[in-house]
Amino acid sequence: MMLDAQNLSVARGGIPILAEVSFSLAPGRALILRGPNGIGKTSLLRVVAGLQPPLAGTLTGAGDNVAYAAHADGLKTTLSVAENLTFWARVFGTDDIAPALAAYQLGPLRDRAAGQLSAGQKRRLGLARLMVTGRPIWVLDEPTVSLDRDAVAMFADAVRLHLGQGGSALIATHIDLGLDGDALDVAQFRAVPPDSDDFDEVFL
């Protein structure tokens, strides 16, 4: 499934922050979003994930094809590792959690409550959820936060496996994951700030 964005304009708090963003993401490829903190990478990913509408432009190939992982891990702390993955698998109509457990070396932790995991273990479990969604486009916002070097390698391997199976990944990150893909500097799409005379209009 091809993801295609044309001339997207993105706002945060009603104020335009990105304008005329265009890119295409083909199956089997990764696209890495670069840019300084606050430039609008998260807001752009939220638009792609369908969590907020763009101000302008077109986005095709997203919708139910997207699995989104943001800063929160999305875990139920009273459920075990296996129960969390099973819950999300059923939400997305799948049933095999074994590959996700293996990819992030969660097998020894499968019966431990998510609330008893370390920050890095919670992050690994949160990312493992992507593998049970069955969705071809992964949209990831700073996915390696709280991960040590070995866990970053697990994540990169999981993405490579996903790409090798015909999936794609749109990732905002500041680190080099060694993935076969392209990079897009979001700073080049910085929107022109509104004139002071028009400032009140952003709240209408």
Side-chain angles (χ1 to χ4, degrees), residues 9 17 25 38 62 82 100 112 122 144 147 171 173 175 184 202:
S9 292
I17 54 173
L25 180 59
R112 184 176 299 181
K122 288 177 182 176
T144 59
L147 296 184
I171 309 172
T173 182
I175 71 171
L184 182 68
V202 302

Side-chain angles (χ1 to χ4, degrees), residues 7-8 15 27 36 54 61 67 87 99 115 121-122 152-153 163 173 175 188 194-195 197 199-200:
N7 303 314
L8 290 181
I15 299 176
F87 170 82
Q121 290 168 340
K122 288 177 182 176
V152 170
L163 301 182
T173 182
I175 71 171
Q188 65 183 302
D195 294 335
D197 291 342
F199 184 76
D200 288 342

Side-chain angles (χ1 to χ4, degrees), residues 1 4 13 26 42 55 70 74 77 93 96 105 107 111 122 130 152 154 157 168-169 179 182-183 201 204:
M1 174 62 66
D4 185 68
T42 292
L55 293 177
T77 58
D96 187 5
Q105 297 181 15
D111 296 323
K122 288 177 182 176
L130 294 167
V152 170
M154 293 177 204
D157 286 344
S168 58
L179 298 174
D182 302 308
E201 294 182 9
L204 300 179

Side-chain angles (χ1 to χ4, degrees), residues 3 25 29-34 41-42 44-46 48-49 66-72 104 123 126-131 133 136-145 147 155-156 158-160 162-163 168-174 177 179:
L3 177 66
L25 180 59
R29 301 289 292 175
L31 179 63
I32 309 299
L33 300 184
R34 303 290 192 194
K41 299 185 297 295
T42 292
L44 176 58
L45 293 180
R46 285 176 57 83
V48 174
V66 169
Y68 178 56
H71 298 157
Y104 288 94
R123 192 60 171 167
L127 292 171
R129 291 183 305 132
L130 294 167
M131 299 184 68
T133 65
I137 302 171
W138 289 0
V139 176
L140 307 164
D141 192 3
E142 298 295 346
T144 59
V145 171
L147 296 184
F155 166 71
V159 174
R160 290 190 191 94
H162 179 63
L163 301 182
S168 58
L170 178 64
I171 309 172
T173 182
H174 295 286
L177 296 169
L179 298 174

Side-chain angles (χ1 to χ4, degrees), residues 47-66:
V47 167
V48 174
L51 299 178
Q52 69 181 68
L55 293 177
T58 60
L59 180 67
T60 57
D64 289 342
N65 294 309
V66 169

